[in-house]
Every structure is written in structure tokens, then in C-alpha cells.
Amino acid sequence: MASSILINSISPCSKYLRCNRNYCFSASAALKGAISFPVKCSSSSNLSCERSCRFGIVRASCAEEVVVDDHEIDDVERKVLRVGIICGGPSAERGISLNSARSVLDNIQGDDLHVSCYYIDSNLHAFAISTAQVYSNTPADFDFKLESLAQGFRSLSDFTEHLASSVDIVFPVIHGRFGEDGGIQELLERSNIPFVGTGSIQCQKAFDKYDASLELDRQGFVTVPNFLIQGNETDESGLSKWFEQNLLDIKSGKVVVKPTRAGSSIGVSVAYGVSDSLTKANRVISEGIDDKVLIEIFLEGGSEFTAIVLDVGSGFNCQPVVLLPTEVELQSHGTVDVSEKDAIFNYRRKYLPTRQVAYHTPPRFSMDVISKIREGASLLFQRLGLRDFARIDGWVLPPSTKASTSAGNKFGRTDSGTVIFTDINLISGMEQTSFLFQQASKVGFSHSNILRTIIQHACLRFPDLLSHNIISCPSRKRSKSSPVTEDFIKQHKKVYVIFGGDTSERQVSLMSGTNVWLNLRASDDLEVTPCLLAPAMSYTDVSDSATQKVDEKLKTVWTLPYSLLLRHTTEEVLDACLEAIEPNQAALTSHLRNQVMDDLTRGLRNHRWFNGFDISDELPKKFSLEQWVKLAKESQATVFIAVHGGIGEDGTLQSLLETEGVPYTGPGAMASKTCMDKVATSLALQHLTDFGVLTINKDVKKKEDLLKMSISDHWLDLKSKLHCDTLCVKPARDGCSTGVARLCCEGDLAFYVNALQDCLPRIPPNSLSKAHGMIEMPNPPPELLIFEPFVETDEIVVASKSRNENAHNLLWKGDSRWVEVTVGVVGKRGAMRSLTPSVTVKESGGILSLEEKFQGGTGINLTPPPPSIMSSAALERCKKRIELIANTLQLEGFSRIDAFVHADTGEVLIIEVNTVPGMTPSTVLIHQALSEQPPLYPQQFFRTLLDLASERSM
């Protein structure tokens, strides 16, 4: 094979040298020596016939498929496989779809596989997008400028014609409507384009929750009693009768309202009684989420689960194997508002890591229940005609519940409870810590291995694709059984990625650490170990700082095996560590793991492309922080710090590492300490006013003083000192995303102080006078709070064709001329360089929410700032001032600076400096690195930061 090229360096518009109905030459494939010449078809019918000729399939109808044993293909003929990832779509889950596409892209790329990326917008317009766009935080980042940045297609027919000649197989990762309802599948089938996953007809039946429920009932499974509401047909009397039949009070009976065709989490809510049910059902319809709504009995006392099913059979010989299921446990901590008492596993809980939900893999169910889940999910997969992989959700009900006792002889009954299957997900979420990867890693699959296995299995249905040179596990890293030689040690550099801690940002820290670990482990010369700085089991006030410093050394650090890291929260990771070393639980998990691996092996050993399992069953190891630092020194490791806030940013961890001479990422101890204290940061920069660097006036108050004095006195005092009517409050020595709120009146301050006093985990949306999203609160509450004037900026509206047919740009009045930006700085001390700033666009309330900062699929970042907002000259002046700030504060490695920038002068009004910025998959730093020339992709970017750490001067 010819040496590979960087596929990311080829833009969508230049990738294809010549393309028509009969021939297509891919520039990147040509350079790899992997051109696949189509056979010119004499038929004038359509592209489907041409596709048949390309695959050499002899058939009477283009709808038929021929199955070939992959053992029959000669290794000499194997070629590079061209995979087209399609994401986006019209559903509200298109942001999550982008996250899934990014994860698939990260984990399947290799010399044997060429990836092209495609996006379908909310109006079903298709585009070929660059891989850089896949790393955007949300489709809204680029929706409004697709026509100038991407290769658009005039119609879906043109799109499929392009696919037929440009890719070998499509991997659809569109969640919800058009992705899982058979829409994209039917489109691909019409043009005879191979794709991963279930066919269109089967998707249609399985995706519609009402139709799937009827089918499950016909197949003899226990189902949840439900009632269907369609369009404007409001059948109040029928619903009342249904309530009575199911012994539910028509005024207060508890039910779940869910769209039938909107995925597994959009528009789902709890309702009470007939009237409330109809109101919430009509809301789903009026908001355009779906025109069919299901009312289901609320499964009181049940436990929710989800299970990944993997087909390991040959061709159309379906052989589904269910991996280790996951139990979904909804949790509440501290004071709970009324709406949370009837919590369900909704969109926010599924995709934002907070302690509102915990996952248990394997589940805490009895063996007979786990066996019944695996058996039932396998049967469903077969009977519904699913293909390659799927995720099936359901509930386990105690034997005493009504649904259990009325189940009769239907499938699902066990002595320990009743298993009910409720949702079939044809395209499971594929974010880094999704159920797919959690469950796969438990039975020996890395991210890359499971995805490549799924793709290769799909190829079995198409004879021509069996000649492509893709292996399931391409990693050249040492396996567990390989000896550790002196040569191996010399060639492989140790890296410890540490994350977690006690701050309110510890869950985001887990996301950052996981992303860094996954990206760095792609380098064959690195041995990367993920390390959890364990969260405290309880919080105590420590007033003696000297005592606190001693205690820091006694904190616990766990070095983690692969499968224990892929969890929702740091608390889950810690629990998984404790379970892994508990003999009885470890024995049970090992037994279940071996059982599933045996089932997988029976099918996968028949495919010579399968290269084996690549995740070993290792135990976590526990150290004190002091011991761990010494271990890093002995291992000659470099530490990549991903601990947000607390000892990760206040200089403590940096000091411990410096004492032992261990290199680490990010600024030194003194710079970290200064930047962690927002007041100290302002003082260090206040002499730069003449250079266009401004600071915001601040007033610091103790929490105990806020609780003692009257709120009215505090409010008047703050307004007088800060000379403003609207304030911003934030913790003085915490991260940048929790406890930050806009206060417009005395009542807002009173509510915020009460939230601190009551230790609320979060302030619900719109609790304050100005509309806002959910505000996550620090836990424990901060002792010091900063109040400063709230800086007013003009609203930026992203205008898309869905809102205005003639609008393709940004709407910005620009009256104040100030915009909020965030910008990364990278380099050595004294020579820090500014990356391209990003304009941050808030959804509501003037304060960026935790989701908008860190959750992929939400929030909007405009990188670089559009010329309509900031001229190139002002942008350059801004970057110079950002570099001045970074070098004045003696930053090194990398950091992120948040500020307001004047759109005309480039003057910078500093907000704060984050020495351990968010490094999640959709972080703004990734966008900015991709804006560099040449672009720095995530693996290169994190490797650059690691190399800077190795070269740092102590």
C-alpha cells in the first residue's frame, strides 16, 4: 500500500477530481493507490443498476442482495474502504448526532479506511462537510454559513448520486426522525448504496413506539399499557376510559407522555390525570415534535435498563449477542424541587454529566433477570429484522407490581421480577462514554474495535466490500500478554492524565480527561494511563490552610483500566473502582463478562477480519496523591492535568509535581494560584489599562456575611460600590461555569443567597427575574463570592433558512459594540501565542449555562468572529492584547482567557483566566486549533500540549 496522506487536509470542494454518473476518481484514494474503477453500465435506467455492475452482483432485481462468505476473498485483493458518515437531520437530537459523528470519525480513521463526512440540515438539505466542521459544538455553529463553507447538493437525489460514486459504505449517525425512522435508509436503498444498520421497512416498524408496542405484544412480550393520541383527534372520553380500565384516577393518575417518533428522550414528560395528559400531548404536537403521542402508565418502583445488541452472524444469518446491560439509576441530592420528584431519564440527564443519574454496568439485578434481558433483547433483534447493532431499552418491575402480576405467560416473567422492553434505538448514541462504548469495553472492545467490527459486519452483505483491507483492531500497541522489554520502555513514553477532584466542575473534568486520554492513546509511542483524583465522600470545612495543604497529599488517586473510565460521573468511576476490588462483585462481573465474550467469540471467530478483543480485564490501583506523584517520577511520566478548579488550578497540584521534578501541562504553581483568584487576576493586570487591557470592578463578600445581614442592605451596598443596577455573581475561587448568575433586583439576590444557604445543587430555569437556563451550583457552597457589574452586550441571533428564507447571516445590532469572546493561548512562558478568538452566543439570561459551555449539541461559538461583527484589524489588536495578558500572568503550555472585546478598537475587558480549560470533545479550544494554518486536529493539538509540558522549564 502506498503511504497514507492526511485526509483531513482535503476540503470537500477539492476532494473529487472528476465525477459523473459513470466514473468517479477520489483524489485521496488515488494517492493511496486505492481507486475502485466502476464498470460502465450499458443500461440507461438509473444509478442503482450502475451500482450493481460495480459490485459485480448478478441479479434480476436491484433490490436483491447476494451474500458471500468473507473467507472466499483473497487477501491480495483487499483495498482501502471508503466510509461516508452522515449526521444532522431534522430532529432536536441533531446536535447529539454531530457528537456521535465526531466520535465515530475519531475512532475509525486509519490507513485502511478513508472517511468522508456529510451533514443533512433541518430542512433535509445535504452537504459534504469538512472534518473540521464535525468538531463544531453544535450545528448552529455552521448552519448559517454552510453554503459558503461546504459542498451543497441541489437535491437528495444528487446527494445519493454523489455517494454512490464516492463512498463504499455509509454509516448513518442521524438520531431520531429521518435517521431511525427509515428515511435515510430508504433513500440509500433506492440507489443501492450499502449502509450500516437496519433496513428502512424494519426501521419504520421499530422506531414508532406505538407500532413497536403492538408488534411486541404480537410477539408475546409483556408491554406497557398505552393510549395513542393522533394529530388534532383529542379523544378525552376515550382517554378517560383508558385511565379507568387501568385503575388510574382520571384527575391525578400518573402517566408518561412521549412522542412516538422523536427518539428516546425528546419531548418526554410526566403527567397527572386526563386533563394534564392532553395538555402535554397537545404541546408535543403544537411544538412540531411529533403528531402522534403515546400516553403510558408510569412504571412505579421499576428500574430502567438499556442493552446493546451486536450481530456477529454471517451475511443474513442473524446471530445477535447482547452485551452486558446497563442499569439507569435516577438520583437526587440535597433539596429536590417538585418537578424532580417524578424524574425521568430525559435529554438533559442523558447527555449532561451531573449527579442526577448513575449507570451500573453490569446492572444490580439478579442473574435470572439479567439472563432474561439478554435473551429477550436477542429475540427482539431477530424477530424485528434488525441488523448490525441496536440499543434496546426497558424496565424491570418488582414481582408485586400490577404489570408483573398481570403479565400471565408472556415473555419477561422471572421469579425476581418482570422484564418489559419499551424502546428500540436503531442508531444508538455514540458519544465517547455512551452505552455502546460502556458496554463494549466491559467485554473487551475498544472504541475503535467495536465500531470497525460493526462496519465490517455490515460489509458482509455486499460482496465487493469484502475485498477491502479493514481490520477490526488496527492498534499496534502492546497487548497485556506481551512482555515489557527494555526496548519497549525506551520507545513508549508514560503519560498520566489526571481528572476529577472535589469541585463543582468535576464532572466536566471527567469529560475533559476522557477526551484527552482517548486522543493521546492514539499515539503509538505513548502509554497513557487515566487517573481519577477521587471526590471526597463528604465535604467538611477546613479553616486552617496549613492543615488543608497536608490533607491534599492524602487525597486518593486511582489509576484506571479502560472500562472503568467510561462513566457518567466521577462518583460512578469511584464506585466502579470499589466494586472492581470487592471480591464477590468482581467475581460476578468476571463471570458475566466471560459469558458474553464466549457468545461473541462463537460468532466472530468465523470472520477472519476480526482481530480479537483488545481490552484486558485489569484492576484499578489506589494511591495517596503523594504516592501517585512519586510514582509519576519513578515512571518518568509527564502529567496531563485535567482537574478543573480546586487543587488542579490553584497551584497545589502543580507545586507537588514541581517538588518531585515531574513535568506537567499548563501554567506553573504561582501563575495558577493568581489566575484561580479572580481578584488577584484583576490586580495583576490593572497596570495594562494604557495598552487597551481593562479590568472589571469587583466586590468580594463572605457567604456568612451575606447570610447575616439583610438582603436589602447588601443590595444597596453593592449597587453603590459598583455603580450599576445589574450585577453578576460568581464564586471567587472556583471554576468558570457553576454558581454564575445575573442578578437584576433585590429579589434575585435573596433567591441566590437562599440557594447557598439551602445547598441547592442547582437553580431551576427562570427562577430569577431575567429568563435563564439551569444554573448548576457549587457543592460545597463557596465561602467567598465576587460581585461585579453585569456587562451588557447586544444579542447575536443566528439566522438560518428555517427561520427566514432570505437570511443566511448573523443578526447583530451592535449598539454597545462589545462582544463576549473566549480564546486559547498556547506556547512557552514569555512567548504565548493567541489562537483565533471565538464569539460566544448565549441562549438565554445573559450567562452561559453549563450545557452551553461543555455539552456538545448546545451553545454556539463563532470561530473566527464574523467580519460583520469584528474587522480583521480589530481582531489582530485583540489577539495582541490577549498575548500581553498571557505573558504578563506568566502563563505557559496552554490556558483560556474569557473577555469582552470592543468590536471596533479591539480593547479587551478581562473576565477571567482558566489555567485548566475545558477539553471536552466539542470544546472551543478544538475549534480554535482547527482554525490554525495548517489546522491542528484534536490528536495533534493534545500531543502539542503534551510536548510543551515535556519541554517546560521548572
Side-chain angles (χ1 to χ4, degrees):
M1 182 186 299
S3 60
S4 63
I5 64 168
L6 282 175
I7 62 170
N8 293 328
S9 65
I10 301 173
S11 68
C13 297
S14 64
K15 189 179 294 180
Y16 306 102
L17 298 178
R18 185 171 82 230
C19 182
N20 56 42
R21 286 180 62 85
N22 299 315
Y23 300 101
C24 179
F25 300 88
S26 167
S28 57
L31 288 168
K32 288 188 176 185
I35 294 178
S36 176
F37 291 95
V39 179
K40 190 169 183 178
C41 181
S42 58
S43 168
S44 59
S45 57
N46 57 27
L47 194 61
S48 297
C49 186
E50 176 194 323
R51 187 77 186 185
S52 302
C53 295
R54 289 187 67 219
F55 287 135
I57 302 174
V58 180
R59 65 182 79 195
S61 166
C62 288
E64 299 173 3
E65 291 171 312
V66 175
V67 180
V68 174
D69 187 342
D70 58 327
H71 284 276
E72 297 175 7
I73 303 301
D74 192 331
D75 275 335
V76 178
E77 297 177 358
R78 289 187 177 270
K79 304 186 289 286
V80 172
L81 184 71
R82 300 174 300 168
V83 178
I85 298 174
I86 304 181
C87 62
S91 86
E93 289 185 288
R94 58 185 171 273
I96 301 302
S97 170
L98 187 64
N99 298 347
S100 291
R102 182 190 309 124
S103 180
V104 173
L105 173 66
D106 278 342
N107 290 292
I108 68 173
Q109 292 190 89
D111 291 343
D112 57 346
L113 194 151
H114 169 245
V115 185
S116 300
C117 299
Y118 302 92
Y119 171 73
I120 293 179
D121 70 10
S122 56
N123 296 310
L124 297 184
H125 296 142
F127 299 84
I129 61 174
S130 67
T131 48
Q133 285 170 289
V134 179
Y135 292 100
S136 298
N137 188 47
T138 168
D141 284 354
F142 59 77
D143 260 334
F144 69 99
K145 50 186 177 181
L146 273 170
E147 291 181 3
S148 61
L149 288 183
Q151 176 188 351
F153 299 95
R154 289 173 298 180
S155 66
L156 290 178
S157 295
D158 284 353
F159 175 48
T160 53
E161 185 170 337
H162 165 87
L163 289 175
S165 57
S166 304
V167 304
D168 299 308
I169 190 167
V170 166
F171 197 143
V173 289
I174 298 176
H175 303 311
R177 197 155 51 90
F178 194 68
E180 297 181 82
D181 63 1
I184 187 69
Q185 292 81 3
E186 184 179 4
L187 189 71
L188 297 170
E189 286 167 350
R190 279 200 224 113
S191 295
N192 200 36
I193 298 171
F195 61 89
V196 174
T198 300
S200 62
I201 295 175
Q202 292 77 16
C203 281
Q204 290 171 22
K205 292 179 180 178
F207 182 69
D208 187 300
K209 294 179 177 61
Y210 181 68
D211 291 346
S213 175
L214 294 177
E215 184 61 29
L216 262 62
D217 185 58
R218 282 193 290 270
Q219 295 285 350
F221 288 85
V222 180
T223 56
V224 184
N226 58 50
F227 185 88
L228 180 66
I229 294 175
Q230 281 196 93
N232 297 321
E233 300 174 11
T234 305
D235 186 3
E236 186 170 354
S237 62
L239 182 58
S240 298
K241 289 179 182 178
W242 179 83
F243 264 71
E244 291 171 352
Q245 289 168 358
N246 288 281
L247 305 179
L248 294 171
D249 188 289
I250 61 172
K251 292 185 177 179
S252 60
K254 190 173 176 182
V255 295
V256 175
V257 179
K258 58 172 70 172
T260 65
R261 299 166 300 186
S264 59
S265 52
I266 298 293
V268 184
S269 62
V270 175
Y272 293 88
V274 173
S275 178
D276 189 31
S277 299
L278 290 173
T279 298
K280 288 176 177 173
N282 288 329
R283 186 182 304 156
V284 169
I285 295 169
S286 64
E287 291 178 358
I289 297 173
D290 200 349
D291 59 359
K292 290 174 65 180
V293 182
L294 212 56
I295 312 292
E296 287 184 346
I297 288 178
F298 189 97
L299 298 176
E300 204 78 61
S303 298
E304 196 167 356
F305 70 83
T306 187
I308 298 293
V309 189
L310 185 67
D311 188 2
V312 297
S314 299
F316 293 103
N317 175 28
C318 184
Q319 188 177 338
V321 174
V322 181
L323 307 185
L324 287 180
T326 298
E327 176 191 356
V328 178
E329 180 192 13
L330 298 183
Q331 299 180 321
S332 60
H333 298 271
T335 304
V336 181
D337 61 56
V338 175
S339 63
E340 287 190 348
K341 290 178 181 177
D342 297 320
I344 53 177
F345 191 41
N346 59 15
Y347 185 89
R348 190 173 193 271
R349 287 184 171 87
K350 184 173 292 186
Y351 296 115
L352 180 68
T354 66
R355 293 192 69 193
Q356 296 177 67
V357 64
Y359 302 145
H360 304 278
T361 309
R364 301 168 300 175
F365 305 149
S366 63
M367 289 296 291
D368 62 336
V369 167
I370 294 174
S371 296
K372 187 65 69 173
I373 290 172
R374 295 192 65 227
E375 180 188 358
S378 177
L379 283 172
L380 271 181
F381 192 94
Q382 285 181 301
R383 293 180 182 178
L384 295 176
L386 309 188
R387 297 195 309 214
D388 299 331
F389 79 119
R391 195 186 88 229
I392 298 177
D393 303 338
W395 289 77
V396 175
L397 302 180
S400 57
T401 60
K402 179 179 180 293
S404 288
T405 55
S406 62
N409 294 321
K410 289 191 172 184
F411 184 94
R413 288 292 301 274
T414 74
D415 293 339
S416 305
T418 300
V419 175
I420 300 181
F421 297 101
T422 56
D423 291 282
I424 293 97
N425 300 273
L426 289 313
I427 302 177
S428 177
M430 285 169 273
E431 294 183 294
Q432 289 179 341
T433 57
S434 66
F435 294 125
L436 172 66
F437 300 125
Q438 285 184 36
Q439 296 180 22
S441 67
K442 272 292 184 183
V443 294
F445 287 106
S446 67
H447 288 64
S448 176
N449 198 354
I450 188 66
L451 289 170
R452 283 168 163 258
T453 296
I454 289 168
I455 292 169
Q456 189 66 76
H457 184 270
C459 289
L460 295 179
R461 294 191 293 276
F462 305 95
D464 189 61
L465 298 188
L466 296 178
S467 65
H468 289 75
N469 186 27
I470 169 176
I471 56 175
S472 61
C473 175
S475 174
R476 297 185 296 276
K477 291 182 181 290
R478 177 183 63 91
S479 66
K480 188 180 180 184
S481 58
S482 302
V484 181
T485 63
E486 185 176 337
D487 185 56
F488 176 85
I489 294 172
K490 288 180 180 178
Q491 292 179 9
H492 290 74
K493 180 179 179 179
K494 285 264 187 191
V495 180
Y496 291 159
V497 180
I498 187 168
F499 48 86
D502 287 331
T503 76
S504 52
E505 290 185 308
R506 61 192 178 277
Q507 317 307 359
V508 176
S509 172
L510 174 60
M511 294 171 66
S512 291
T514 302
N515 189 44
V516 170
W517 165 70
L518 280 171
N519 276 282
L520 289 180
R521 75 182 303 274
S523 298
D524 285 335
D525 64 328
L526 300 179
E527 280 292 303
V528 190
T529 304
C531 306
L532 172 72
L533 178 61
M537 302 306 289
S538 61
Y539 295 102
T540 56
D541 291 328
V542 182
S543 56
D544 185 355
S545 59
T547 303
Q548 189 173 5
K549 290 297 180 186
V550 173
D551 289 343
E552 301 294 4
K553 295 182 180 180
L554 302 179
K555 286 180 177 291
T556 302
V557 177
W558 292 82
T559 58
L560 306 170
Y562 196 115
S563 66
L564 294 193
L565 175 55
L566 304 179
R567 300 302 169 99
H568 198 61
T569 65
T570 54
E571 287 77 14
E572 276 184 60
V573 178
L574 178 57
D575 288 343
C577 289
L578 297 174
E579 286 179 5
I581 61 175
E582 197 282 313
N584 292 333
Q585 182 62 41
L588 174 63
T589 300
S590 180
H591 169 72
L592 291 169
R593 171 189 168 97
N594 291 336
Q595 193 177 76
V596 176
M597 291 181 76
D598 287 345
D599 293 343
L600 290 166
T601 301
R602 275 191 289 273
L604 291 171
R605 68 187 174 191
N606 296 321
H607 309 299
R608 65 177 180 175
W609 45 261
F610 183 66
N611 209 34
F613 302 103
D614 58 339
I615 300 298
S616 56
D617 191 12
E618 299 175 349
L619 292 175
K621 295 178 182 177
K622 181 180 178 182
F623 304 89
S624 70
L625 179 56
E626 187 174 32
Q627 291 171 333
W628 178 81
V629 171
K630 292 185 182 299
L631 176 67
K633 180 181 181 180
E634 292 167 6
S635 304
Q636 298 182 346
T638 299
V639 172
F640 201 117
I641 300 176
V643 178
H644 300 315
I647 70 169
E649 287 193 77
D650 68 5
T652 301
L653 183 55
Q654 290 81 359
S655 293
L656 292 172
L657 293 168
E658 284 178 13
T659 300
E660 295 294 336
V662 178
Y664 59 87
T665 54
M670 288 305 297
S672 297
K673 184 178 181 180
T674 298
C675 295
M676 184 65 169
D677 188 327
K678 297 176 179 68
V679 175
T681 304
S682 291
L683 291 174
L685 299 173
Q686 64 181 3
H687 67 287
L688 298 178
T689 302
D690 291 342
F691 298 95
V693 176
L694 313 175
T695 56
I696 303 174
N697 292 330
K698 293 176 171 59
D699 189 36
V700 182
K701 289 187 178 290
K702 293 182 179 180
K703 181 188 72 174
E704 60 185 72
D705 291 340
L706 287 169
L707 298 175
K708 287 177 183 176
M709 290 174 56
S710 77
I711 295 299
S712 180
D713 289 344
H714 277 303
W715 182 253
L716 292 173
D717 179 57
L718 287 166
K719 287 178 61 178
S720 175
K721 286 181 178 178
L722 299 174
H723 308 290
C724 63
D725 293 323
T726 304
L727 306 176
C728 180
V729 60
K730 61 182 70 171
R733 299 191 181 104
D734 204 351
C736 62
S737 60
T738 53
V740 183
R742 179 181 184 178
L743 308 178
C744 299
C745 62
E746 184 181 316
D748 288 348
L749 178 60
F751 192 99
Y752 189 90
V753 171
N754 286 334
L756 293 174
Q757 186 173 26
D758 296 338
C759 297
L760 287 184
R762 64 198 62 85
I763 294 176
N766 303 323
S767 298
L768 306 176
S769 58
K770 182 76 174 179
H772 64 86
M774 185 80 76
I775 300 173
E776 294 288 333
M777 295 296 285
N779 189 0
E783 293 304 311
L784 291 175
L785 291 143
I786 289 177
F787 293 88
E788 57 189 29
F790 181 85
V791 178
E792 295 281 355
T793 58
D794 296 308
E795 182 183 19
I796 299 173
V797 177
V798 178
S800 64
K801 287 183 286 186
S802 60
R803 295 178 59 174
N804 184 336
E805 280 297 329
N806 299 314
H808 306 287
N809 296 304
L810 298 172
L811 303 180
W812 181 61
K813 291 182 179 179
D815 293 337
S816 74
R817 309 308 296 163
W818 289 94
V819 293
E820 186 174 348
V821 299
T822 185
V823 54
V825 288
V826 179
K828 296 182 178 180
R829 189 186 308 174
M832 295 295 282
R833 185 171 60 85
S834 170
L835 299 178
T836 301
S838 301
V839 174
T840 55
V841 180
K842 313 172 192 69
E843 291 183 350
S844 64
I847 299 290
L848 281 174
S849 66
L850 187 67
E851 292 96 330
E852 289 172 277
K853 278 181 178 285
F854 299 113
Q855 179 185 339
T858 58
I860 301 172
N861 293 296
L862 306 177
T863 311
S868 59
I869 291 179
M870 187 181 298
S871 67
S872 57
L875 181 60
E876 285 305 311
R877 288 194 290 269
C878 165
K879 291 173 70 173
K880 292 298 181 186
R881 285 159 178 152
I882 290 294
E883 291 172 354
L884 176 61
I885 292 168
N887 292 319
T888 300
L889 294 171
Q890 297 190 1
L891 302 182
E892 60 184 306
F894 73 115
S895 294
R896 195 189 78 230
I897 297 174
D898 297 336
F900 297 101
V901 174
H902 196 278
D904 301 322
T905 66
E907 287 180 298
V908 173
L909 178 60
I910 191 76
I911 299 174
E912 61 190 5
V913 179
N914 300 278
T915 54
V916 183
M919 290 168 280
T920 61
S922 56
T923 180
V924 72
L925 288 183
I926 297 293
H927 313 165
Q928 295 175 9
L930 287 165
S931 294
E932 294 291 290
Q933 293 301 325
L936 277 174
Y937 284 82
Q939 291 177 12
Q940 300 167 288
F941 179 61
F942 290 121
R943 184 58 191 259
T944 298
L945 302 183
L946 182 71
D947 291 342
L948 281 170
S950 301
E951 300 164 6
R952 72 180 297 122
S953 56
M954 292 294 183

